[in-house]
């Protein structure tokens, strides 16, 4: 799993962009650097990798959902997961 220390800093990302894309403005480079770092953080937060279920899938599996039980309206499934998490919170 990626730790925060393994992320490139904004200044490092910005310098890489400046080297590879010299025609970008300072604003464009900084905006892209922020987006890249945000995506790295989200990727780590949702445990996105090819060898294991992502974070949301892992939560669903822990709550007893299977691939077949995720069919239907996403809002209904999210409501069910929220209710299950609230039940766990109340019971603990």
């Amino acid at each position: 799993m990626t730790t925060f220390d393994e992320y490139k800093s904004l200044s490092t990302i910005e310098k890489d962009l400046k080297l590879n894309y010299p025609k970008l403005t300072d604003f464009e480079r900084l905006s892209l650097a922020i987006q890249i770092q945000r995506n790295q953080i989200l990727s780590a937060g949702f445990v996105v990798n090819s060898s294991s279920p992502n974070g949301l899938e892992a939560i669903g599996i822990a709550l007893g959902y299977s691939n077949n039980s995720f069919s239907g309206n996403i809002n209904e499934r999210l409501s069910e997961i929220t209710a299950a998490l609230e039940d766990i919170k109340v019971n603990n």
Side-chain angles (χ1 to χ4, degrees):
M1 183 185 296
T2 304
T3 64
F4 183 75
D5 295 332
E6 295 174 12
Y7 296 127
K8 289 184 178 180
S9 68
L10 286 177
S11 62
T12 302
I13 296 169
E14 191 271 336
K15 286 177 187 175
D16 290 345
L17 289 170
K18 188 173 189 172
L19 180 65
N20 294 323
Y21 305 98
K23 292 185 180 182
L24 291 176
T25 65
D26 291 342
F27 176 80
E28 290 170 327
R29 279 193 309 274
L30 187 56
S31 295
L32 286 172
I34 290 169
Q35 289 176 26
I36 289 168
Q37 191 176 59
R38 182 193 65 213
N39 288 344
Q40 290 174 342
I41 293 168
L42 288 172
S43 177
F46 288 117
V47 193
V48 177
N49 64 39
S50 60
S51 63
S52 64
N54 70 40
L56 293 176
E57 288 174 329
I59 291 169
I61 291 167
L63 292 171
Y65 288 91
S66 68
N67 286 340
N68 296 335
S69 64
F70 281 115
S71 62
N73 184 327
I74 186 88
N75 291 329
E76 292 172 5
R77 300 296 82 80
L78 290 173
S79 295
E80 290 173 10
I81 291 171
T82 301
L85 289 172
E86 288 173 357
D87 288 342
I88 291 170
K89 182 179 171 184
V90 169
N91 293 328
N92 289 331

